[in-house]
Amino acid sequence: MDFTPTEEQTAARDLAARIFGDLSTHERLTAVGTCSDGELWKALCEAGLPAAVEDIGLLGLVLLLEEQGRTTAQVPFAASCVYGLLAVSAHGSAEQRERLLPGIADGSVVMTGALSDSAVRAGGSGELSGVAPVVPWLRDATHVLVADEEHRLWLVRTADARCEPVELTAPWSAGRLTLDATPAEQLGGVDAYGEMYDDAYDAMYDDVLATARTAFAGLQAGVCAGSVARAVAYTNTREQFGQPLAAKQGVQLRAADAHMDTEAIRVTAYEAAWRRDEGLDYAAHALTAAWWASEAGHRVVHAGQHLHGGMGADLEHPVHRHFLWGRQLDAYLGCGSELLQELGESIVHGEGEGEGDA
């Protein structure tokens, strides 16, 4: 395997780093509060970064999301690319791709997803009923990719549903989605898979879920990298008894552990993304990346706050945003023990079918 970015991926990552660095500043984040930054989202779309994901793949998206995570930029970049561009590109019908992809690419269509923690039933005429209690970036979205109880995926216009604001640990413009015989269209079309359609729907759901886990693990890698960078800068300038805090062995060891945890999140996300782009099985690798992002991400953002001492307890300090984002991603990706159990079950199932390398 080779995680070396292509020329196109490198160019997109560098452009994203410049835009996030210029526009997602501490002052701007303070000004937008818990809302998304519309000006930043417009700049990203005008630069063609959401559109570029179709060409640079999931690994390219992970690289871009790392840059977002470093600055905790408040835009629906991950959600719209995962549940919109990549999901529709891979599984949408020709008509759905033609209708939705241009809007997702230019930012006029914003997608998010409600794949888990929801109880949604599909009626015989394609209407949905049920509740998704927490949907990230729902307040920014024009469409939601919803999974029903049978793991079929549906596209729902937010204008047709009831969307109520929900405040999370991190400012993700989240909401509660309530569906009451709400009209929806099935991703890929109702009869797109003929007689195999039940198995195909499960495969479609599993692919979108694994893609989301990988992408959000990449976002967590960036959040953690930003937390570690702030901790290093702070401990190198903050002095105690005439010496920088960074000169103390305990501080060095804590920062080193946080760095290694961050690298583990990054490399497992890269591997899962690379395997998807290469057309290889990657479900277990996505679970591994999600587990590292949840377990190690929790440790890293706590270490980042701890290494800031009293400043880490300041709710207005930039490192506190990394703490909030890291804890939100920890919760969103799933409890570490649950992910580990799912990973173990998938390995056992794979070995039972002669796929022990899954």
Side-chain angles (χ1 to χ4, degrees), residues 181-213:
T182 302
E185 61 173 310
Q186 203 161 343
L187 184 65
V190 177
D191 298 318
Y193 296 96
E195 295 179 356
M196 295 180 62
Y197 91 146
D198 285 336
D199 291 339
Y201 291 144
D202 283 337
M204 183 188 300
Y205 173 86
D206 291 343
D207 177 61
V208 174
L209 180 59
T211 300
R213 283 169 166 163

Side-chain angles (χ1 to χ4, degrees), residues 5 23 44 50 70 119 141 145 160 209 225 233 294 306 350:
L23 295 182
L44 292 167
R70 290 179 200 277
L145 185 66
D160 297 329
L209 180 59
S294 178
H306 188 198

